[in-house]
Amino acid sequence: MLGTSIGQILSHGVGVAISPLALVAIILLLATPRARANAVTFAITWIVALAVIVAVLIAISGLVGASHHDHPATWVGWAKLVIGLAALAIAAQQARRALHPAPDSAPPAWAQNREHTTIKIITLATTLAVVNPKNLTQLAAAAVTISSVTPGHGARVIAGVVFLLIASLCVTIPLAIHLFAGERANTVLTSWKDWATRHNSTIMAVLLTILGTKSVGDAIATLTN
């Protein structure tokens, strides 16, 4: 059952990992005077914020009985349906932004900020991690899945750790490139930042359409079994 859980949460982990704004934020931090310290602070905060939300949601799901006779409870199907429909609604909103971009839109305030204190970095990472409708839908879907198909606390912890490792790739990969790619790192990361900035809405629209459809499909499968 642990394998089943991990297999089902992989897409939700990828859904969180594909976070263009978080990618842009950590790449900007890697260009600051205290690049490594700032980026590590951002990455650790991102991971901790996700871990807290997932742990709380898993605990709540377990308390209300996500698993019934080794099968997902009926409410799990309805929850996944709501999550899927919410993701599709956000996808439609992002698609409209991609098709009708605002003229001369200014970068977000945090991208123009030049004062990178530890508190501001922690606040930014937490905001981008959890005050984000796309991430919240995927965190909720992963937590409900882990609670409903993974028996035992140990197996749930393992599944949660696997989810967090995948969900944090958007911040750990740029940091790794900065540390190990040498002189090429700046060129590679700058090109990623520029691409993610230009195509943020399109990426989110496509990603959420896929993930929303998957959640609706999972809901139908749960409710009809």
Side-chain angles (χ1 to χ4, degrees):
M1 297 295 281
L2 175 59
T4 300
S5 175
I6 291 175
Q8 291 186 20
I9 64 174
L10 288 178
S11 61
H12 302 303
V14 171
V16 176
I18 301 178
S19 293
L21 294 182
L23 180 70
V24 169
I26 196 166
I27 291 174
L28 288 174
L29 289 172
L30 286 169
T32 61
R34 298 178 63 250
R36 294 186 182 182
N38 289 340
V40 168
T41 299
F42 184 93
I44 291 174
T45 303
W46 172 275
I47 295 169
V48 170
L50 295 182
V52 170
I53 297 298
V54 169
V56 169
L57 292 176
I58 289 175
I60 293 173
S61 298
L63 289 174
V64 298
S67 180
H68 182 68
H69 298 304
D70 296 328
H71 292 284
T74 301
W75 73 261
V76 170
W78 290 110
K80 289 186 176 182
L81 180 61
V82 171
I83 292 167
L85 293 176
L88 291 173
I90 300 169
Q93 182 184 51
Q94 293 293 330
R96 285 195 296 271
R97 290 181 181 176
L99 292 172
H100 306 287
D104 301 324
S105 56
W110 56 262
Q112 305 176 60
N113 180 41
R114 294 295 179 267
E115 297 182 10
H116 301 289
T117 65
T118 300
I119 295 299
K120 287 186 177 180
I121 292 170
I122 291 173
T123 301
L124 176 60
T126 303
T127 302
L128 293 179
V130 300
V131 187
N132 179 326
K134 183 266 291 182
N135 284 0
L136 289 176
T137 62
Q138 300 314 300
L139 292 169
V144 168
T145 299
I146 292 172
S147 294
S148 62
V149 302
T150 313
H153 297 298
R156 290 179 181 178
V157 169
I158 293 172
V161 169
V162 171
F163 173 79
L164 290 172
L165 289 174
I166 298 168
S168 300
L169 290 177
C170 61
V171 296
T172 56
I173 289 178
L175 183 56
I177 289 175
H178 176 80
L179 293 174
F180 302 113
E183 296 179 357
R184 295 183 59 250
N186 185 56
T187 301
V188 171
L189 293 176
T190 299
S191 67
W192 285 13
K193 174 179 67 67
D194 293 342
W195 184 85
T197 301
R198 286 195 305 271
H199 302 292
N200 177 44
S201 293
T202 302
I203 295 168
M204 290 298 96
V206 174
L207 176 67
L208 285 165
T209 298
I210 295 171
L211 294 173
T213 303
K214 179 186 181 299
S215 290
V216 171
D218 290 345
I220 293 171
T222 300
L223 293 171
T224 56
N225 281 340

